[in-house]
Amino acid sequence: MTTDDRTHRVAARLDHLFRTVYPATLGRPYSYREAAAKIAELAGAAVISPVYLQQIRTGQRKTPSLDKLAWVAQLFGVPVTYFSDDIVAERVDAQLEIVTELRDDGVRELARLAAGLSAEALEPIKAQLRYARRSEGLPEVDSDGTPTPNQV
């Protein structure tokens, strides 16, 4: 893999983290300044600048240092290998998809209503949700939320 490929992969993954991982209290993605300030708070010292974060995210920083990526990973709650290991990134992205879905008020309400119900009580509810997904042309999902090919 070339340096440009690695740079693009890191930039794309950092962009994805910025777009999807942020505190509910903030209600929106971090700005570069906010992210750098939060990293400084975690580290107990300023370890990365807003400009450096922007350069990594946009691919202008060809070889970000591993220690800085480790702080960025900590900010977003992912392993530092998220930036270099495709299998780790795939697993983390699947988890982030669930987090993103849980931002939806309707999804959270359904989860609250279902909490505590027996497996037997949940079966007809899940069947109704599968029917609704098919009716709206959405793909079926398996137990971990991964879309499955529609069966004919």
Side-chain angles (χ1 to χ4, degrees):
M1 178 175 290
T2 69
T3 300
D4 284 344
D5 291 339
R6 280 191 297 274
T7 300
H8 176 72
R9 179 179 55 203
V10 170
R13 290 180 182 167
L14 181 55
D15 180 62
H16 181 66
L17 291 174
F18 262 99
R19 287 183 290 107
T20 58
V21 180
Y22 49 86
T25 55
L26 193 57
R28 59 169 173 73
Y30 285 111
S31 69
Y32 295 120
R33 186 177 307 251
E34 290 165 336
K38 185 65 177 172
I39 290 170
E41 183 182 312
L42 293 169
V47 295
I48 194 166
S49 73
V51 171
Y52 195 96
L53 284 170
Q54 181 182 28
Q55 289 172 340
I56 298 171
R57 186 178 181 188
T58 59
Q60 294 172 352
R61 174 71 57 170
K62 297 289 183 197
T63 53
S65 71
L66 185 56
D67 66 320
K68 290 192 183 340
L69 280 180
W71 284 112
V72 171
Q74 187 173 342
L75 169 68
F76 290 110
V78 301
V80 71
T81 52
Y82 174 78
F83 295 107
S84 59
D85 186 315
D86 292 339
I87 294 169
V88 170
E90 191 174 302
R91 275 192 230 130
V92 168
D93 286 344
Q95 294 169 350
L96 292 176
E97 174 95 17
I98 293 168
V99 170
T100 301
E101 291 166 354
L102 288 174
R103 285 193 188 123
D104 181 286
D105 290 336
V107 172
R108 281 198 317 273
E109 182 179 5
L110 285 172
R112 283 191 297 272
L113 290 170
L117 294 176
S118 68
E120 184 178 271
L122 286 172
E123 280 309 312
I125 297 166
K126 291 190 302 188
Q128 188 64 32
L129 288 170
R130 286 185 200 101
Y131 174 79
R133 288 187 68 81
R134 282 191 305 272
S135 296
E136 294 200 4
L138 296 171
E140 292 185 23
V141 292
D142 62 20
S143 61
D144 71 354
T146 306
T148 58
N150 286 336
Q151 312 246 332
V152 179

